[in-house]
C-alpha cells in the first residue's frame, strides 16, 4: 500500500466514526527511502529519514487523531508504568 492510500484509509476510518484504536505501519512509511539508500548511500538515506521520513510519520499521527485510546474502548484504567 502506498503512503497516500495508507493515510487516506486512516482518515476515512476516523471520518466514518469507527472506533479504531491503532494501526500498523511499516513499508508504506519507509519504502521510498530504500532506493535512496541503494543509489546514494547511508548519508542520503539519513537525510531522507530526517525530512520525508519524519513528514510521513507526522501525516500518520495527524490521521490518528481520530483514533481511540484502547483502554477507553473497554472501560479499563490505564495500567501504571513500571
Amino acid at each position: 500500500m502506498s503512503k497516500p492510500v495508507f493515510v487516506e484509509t486512516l482518515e476515512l476510518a476516523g471520518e466514518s466514526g469507527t472506533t479504531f484504536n491503532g494501526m500498523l505501519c511499516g513499508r508504506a512509511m519507509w519504502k521510498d527511502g530504500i532506493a535512496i539508500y541503494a543509489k546514494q548511500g547511508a548519508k542520503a538515506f539519513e537525510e531522507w529519514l530526517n525530512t520525508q521520513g519524519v513528514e510521513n510519520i507526522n501525516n500518520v499521527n495527524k490521521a490518528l487523531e481520530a483514533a481511540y485510546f484502547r483502554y477507553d474502548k473497554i472501560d479499563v484504567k490505564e495500567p501504571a508504568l513500571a
Side-chain angles (χ1 to χ4, degrees):
M1 173 181 305
S2 70
K3 290 184 312 272
V5 170
F6 182 72
V7 171
E8 183 178 8
T9 301
L10 292 173
E11 290 169 346
L12 288 171
E15 290 170 8
S16 72
T18 61
T19 58
F20 74 100
N21 60 313
M23 54 74 196
L24 294 172
C25 72
R27 187 176 34 205
M29 296 299 101
W30 53 257
K31 72 176 184 161
D32 294 342
I34 298 306
I36 290 170
Y37 177 76
K39 294 176 185 173
Q40 300 173 33
K43 180 118 172 98
F45 181 55
E46 184 177 347
E47 183 177 322
W48 182 90
L49 287 170
N50 287 323
T51 55
Q52 187 61 51
V54 169
E55 182 179 329
N56 293 346
I57 295 299
N58 286 339
N59 288 338
V60 168
N61 286 341
K62 182 166 177 30
L64 285 174
E65 289 175 358
Y68 287 78
F69 188 60
R70 67 180 180 261
Y71 295 111
D72 291 341
K73 281 181 86 170
I74 57 174
D75 197 28
V76 173
K77 293 189 187 268
E78 182 178 0
L81 298 174

